[in-house]
Amino acid sequence: MGAVATILGATLPVVVRQFDWPYSVAGYLLAGNAAGYFLSSILSGWGIPRVGIRPLLCLGLLIQCGGVAAFGWSSQWWLNLILLSLVGVGQGMLEVSANCTVIQLDGSGRSRLMNLMHSAFTIGAVLAPLLVGIVLENTIGWRKIYVAGGIASGALACLTLCFQFPEINQPTKVASGVGIFKDRFLVLCWSSILLYVGIEMGVSSWIGEYYVVFASGSAAAASMVVALFWGGILFGRLTFGLQYHGTSHRRVLVVSSGISALGLIGVSVYDQGGLFYSSVLLSGLGQSVFYPTVMVVVGEAYRHNRGLAIGVVASGGGIGAFFFPLIVGSLADREGLRVGFYFFGAMSLTLLLLSVFMAVFARARSSEH
């Protein structure tokens, strides 16, 4: 899933130029992917206790396979919008299935296993831009990258049939499925994931084009910048997953969002040179552990309705990934792409503030219980 999620960002500079698409159309495509993810994650959270993890995981991989493999064979943007929306549907199924599986397997309340699982996502997110760079440097058609991604998804769908997955229990209270949407702490978690995923996927999708425009770099070099961003995320998740043994999730959320804000402000100010690359790496490092930590917090706080709670919170990422590309695409067309990255910097500061609120609320919630 990680490789598929970053392919578009890595190939965006060459795709928009070959099809002569304005930035706003690229924003529509990214938003369509996010809309499919949003709807799918909520429905998957509701359905996973009823159909099980393996069927949902296999179906998500097959849907992703079809959408990715067919992308780019037509220059009609609306057709590619439909295909990326289908990819989002598959990704929503994968996200909920994977998070529920890890939380069921690890009942310790720590985030180590979740960080290690999301490291696998990040490995794909790092390798994909690197492979894109190699492909573009050797003038191999970029569409072959999408075909390869589709084939890999299909093969993995077949592989899921060979493994056993834990069961997700049905909700014990009928009313909890409705009441969970009114829970203030869940709303805070949902909002934080909205901002986090919007920033993460937005930066991943636009940082390559930002580098091409302001550093006059090649499309191949731009894909390496995308890989650098995800490399920071990978390093952070692996290090944290292997070395951190605590359960102080409140502090982790505040520190990680603060580091992310510092890095993204640097990216919006510097557009080339060592400070730019350092800021890209730092922003990825700050982003690394936020999502897995929030998912562990949600899984522990809503044990009686875990599947739906995870699905609802994950859907916030779909909203962020839907609106942020549209906003940045519109800003880039009207004011310039740098203004779009000022937006990312402002949102990273907002996420830091929201993390502080979450920490205070979580502390009050734990003292009540």
Side-chain angles (χ1 to χ4, degrees):
M1 178 178 168
V4 171
T6 55
I7 285 176
L8 182 59
T11 58
L12 187 64
V14 66
V15 172
V16 295
R17 284 164 177 79
Q18 179 165 330
F19 290 148
D20 196 25
W21 287 341
Y23 287 143
S24 56
V25 167
Y28 296 153
L29 296 179
L30 295 170
N33 176 261
Y37 176 92
F38 167 74
L39 295 173
S40 175
S41 56
I42 291 183
L43 293 176
S44 297
W46 174 84
I48 198 169
R50 296 161 176 80
V51 303
I53 293 178
R54 182 162 58 182
L56 195 69
L57 189 62
C58 185
L59 180 60
L61 286 165
L62 290 175
I63 293 174
Q64 178 177 268
C65 167
V68 172
F71 178 82
W73 290 100
S74 169
S75 62
Q76 298 295 321
W77 69 267
W78 60 267
L79 179 58
N80 290 294
L81 173 62
I82 294 173
L83 293 172
L84 285 185
S85 299
L86 287 175
V87 172
V89 169
Q91 289 173 334
M93 294 178 177
L94 301 182
E95 186 69 29
V96 174
S97 300
N99 286 328
C100 285
T101 299
V102 173
I103 292 174
Q104 288 289 105
L105 292 175
D106 182 11
S108 65
R110 295 182 173 90
S111 57
R112 294 184 66 200
L113 189 57
M114 184 67 79
N115 272 287
L116 290 175
M117 187 274 287
H118 279 274
S119 295
F121 172 97
T122 315
I123 289 172
V126 172
L127 290 178
L130 292 175
L131 292 175
V132 168
I134 294 172
V135 168
L136 296 179
E137 282 284 5
N138 291 276
T139 64
I140 301 173
W142 58 266
R143 291 185 182 87
K144 293 182 175 63
I145 303 169
Y146 287 87
V147 174
I151 293 173
S153 297
L156 192 56
C158 297
L159 192 60
T160 59
L161 302 176
C162 303
F163 295 93
Q164 293 292 329
F165 292 87
E167 294 183 0
I168 302 295
N169 295 327
Q170 287 272 14
T172 57
K173 299 178 181 179
V174 175
S176 65
V178 177
I180 200 171
F181 291 95
K182 301 178 182 179
D183 189 290
R184 288 179 295 172
F185 184 65
L186 193 76
V187 171
L188 274 176
C189 294
W190 179 87
S191 302
S192 70
I193 292 299
L194 184 155
L195 290 177
Y196 166 81
V197 174
I199 293 169
E200 180 187 72
M201 298 312 299
V203 172
S204 176
S205 299
W206 288 105
I207 191 69
E209 180 65 14
Y210 184 80
Y211 179 76
V212 169
V213 171
F214 293 106
S216 300
S218 66
S223 67
M224 301 302 173
V225 175
V226 178
L228 179 64
F229 173 70
W230 284 100
I233 296 178
L234 175 60
F235 178 79
R237 286 179 178 172
L238 281 176
T239 302
F240 197 84
L242 294 173
Q243 300 296 326
Y244 183 71
H245 299 274
T247 57
S248 184
H249 302 310
R250 299 190 299 269
R251 295 177 183 176
V252 170
L253 292 175
V254 173
V255 171
S256 64
S257 58
I259 294 173
S260 173
L262 183 63
L264 284 171
I265 291 172
V267 170
S268 65
V269 173
Y270 307 106
D271 49 40
Q272 54 186 313
L275 289 175
F276 170 74
Y277 297 120
S278 299
S279 297
V280 171
L281 185 63
L282 188 64
S283 63
L285 186 64
Q287 293 268 295
S288 60
V289 300
F290 193 90
Y291 188 97
T293 303
V294 171
M295 286 301 169
V296 169
V297 169
V298 171
E300 289 298 308
Y302 302 95
R303 297 187 181 188
H304 298 299
N305 210 349
R306 183 170 282 164
L308 182 60
I310 291 174
V312 169
V313 173
S315 73
I319 294 291
F322 177 84
F323 282 107
F324 278 41
L326 289 176
I327 294 172
V328 173
S330 177
L331 288 173
D333 278 339
R334 292 187 290 108
E335 307 293 339
L337 190 54
R338 187 183 295 276
V339 176
F341 273 79
Y342 288 160
F343 170 76
F344 285 135
M347 290 301 100
S348 68
L349 291 174
T350 305
L351 180 60
L352 173 59
L353 182 62
L354 191 58
S355 299
V356 174
F357 288 149
M358 287 177 63
V360 173
F361 198 100
R363 183 176 182 179
R365 184 186 179 96
S366 62
S367 63
E368 291 175 359
H369 293 80

